[in-house]
């Protein structure tokens, strides 16, 4: 598993910068001895500058594709696509939407079809050593909607999807999914709208 933005490295940089700023202020004898003024100076420079830097780096990762390629692409937003399942000679299609919430330390996915909703149990993101291929391993719990429950079939079941991230043009997610029921298939999604928060 990878961090989408190297949070440990970012935290280390921010802490080192704060220490360096504090040492510089102390060396320059900026502190006055007045508690109120010293707290203001400390919070403005020692906390303010590193915090602003962290926000700028995070914003840059979210907005600049080359930074995403160096770490992991930002996938947050609404995706539309299809689920293909059944034998190859008589495959069925089901329209689906996928909503991804993507944060520094992880992501969650909610997949919605006419018949059911799948929610995240676990997500693992990987990038190959060359930094050219990205995968999302998504373990989910699927719950059938009340109007589509059938006697003898479970209302809740679990599965896993292994999806590749496509980065040329519009972002795509595609790959196979498997469930603990006798169903498996192909999931294909295209990014419809980015979510910034």
């Amino acid at each position: 598993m990878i961090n989408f933005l190297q949070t440990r490295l970012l935290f280390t940089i921010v802490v080192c910068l704060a220490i360096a700023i504090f040492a510089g202020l102390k060396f320059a004898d900026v502190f006055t001895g007045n508690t109120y003024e010293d707290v203001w100076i400390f919070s403005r420079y020692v906390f303010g500058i590193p915090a602003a830097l962290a926000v700028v780096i995070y914003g840059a990762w979210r907005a600049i594709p080359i930074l995403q390629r160096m770490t992991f692409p930002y996938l947050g937003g609404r995706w539309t696509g299809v689920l293909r399942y059944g034998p190859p000679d008589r495959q069925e299609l089901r329209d689906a939407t996928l909503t991804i919430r993507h944060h520094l330390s992880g992501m969650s996915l909610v997949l919605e079809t006419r018949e059911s909703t799948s929610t995240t149990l676990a997500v693992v993101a990987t990038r190959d050593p060359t930094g050219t291929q990205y995968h999302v391993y998504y373990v989910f719990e699927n719950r059938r909607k009340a109007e589509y429950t059938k006697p003898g079939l479970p209302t809740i079941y679990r599965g896993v999807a292994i999806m590749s991230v496509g980065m040329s043009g519009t972002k795509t997610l595609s790959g196979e999914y498997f469930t603990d029921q006798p169903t498996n298939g192909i999931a294909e999604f295209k990014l419809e709208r980015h979510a910034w928060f």
Side-chain angles (χ1 to χ4, degrees):
M1 182 170 158
I2 63 171
N3 281 326
F4 304 115
L5 181 60
Q6 299 298 320
T7 51
R8 203 173 292 165
L9 177 62
L10 180 60
F11 179 75
T12 303
I13 290 169
V14 167
V15 168
C16 289
L17 180 61
I19 291 168
I21 290 170
F22 178 72
L25 291 173
K26 196 78 168 147
F27 181 74
D29 202 24
V30 172
F31 295 108
T32 64
N34 179 316
T35 305
Y36 176 76
E37 288 180 20
D38 289 348
V39 167
W40 171 249
I41 292 168
F42 188 85
S43 61
R44 185 173 180 188
Y45 295 105
V46 178
F47 286 139
I49 292 173
L53 177 65
V55 169
V56 167
I57 291 171
Y58 177 68
W61 170 70
R62 295 278 297 260
I64 301 172
I66 196 159
L67 292 179
Q68 292 180 29
R69 288 182 189 274
M70 291 167 54
T71 55
F72 192 89
Y74 175 69
L75 302 179
R78 178 182 165 83
W79 301 68
T80 55
V82 294
L83 303 178
R84 302 177 189 278
Y85 60 96
D89 56 336
R90 38 194 177 97
Q91 257 190 357
E92 295 184 48
L93 298 178
R94 182 159 296 141
D95 290 333
T97 61
L98 181 64
T99 303
I100 301 178
R101 294 191 186 279
H102 193 162
H103 307 286
L104 282 175
S105 59
M107 71 172 80
S108 65
L109 297 84
V110 176
L111 189 145
E112 184 99 23
T113 68
R114 185 184 55 161
E115 298 177 358
S116 64
T117 302
S118 297
T119 54
T120 303
L121 296 177
V123 177
V124 175
T126 63
R127 179 183 64 166
D128 77 324
T130 65
T132 58
Q133 295 180 6
Y134 310 92
H135 293 90
V136 175
Y137 298 84
Y138 163 51
V139 181
F140 60 87
E141 181 175 86
N142 193 69
R143 184 178 298 267
R144 289 185 198 275
K145 295 177 181 173
E147 60 270 30
Y148 292 99
T149 56
K150 297 176 184 173
L153 290 177
T155 304
I156 299 172
Y157 58 92
R158 292 176 181 84
V160 64
I162 303 166
M163 295 189 283
S164 298
V165 180
M167 294 285 287
S168 58
T170 302
K171 287 181 186 167
T172 59
L173 283 169
S174 61
E176 295 180 273
Y177 70 90
F178 310 89
T179 72
D180 60 10
Q181 299 302 301
T183 56
N184 59 59
I186 305 291
E188 298 172 330
F189 292 95
K190 188 178 289 189
L191 181 63
E192 182 180 286
R193 185 179 68 244
H194 260 306
W196 287 99
F197 300 101

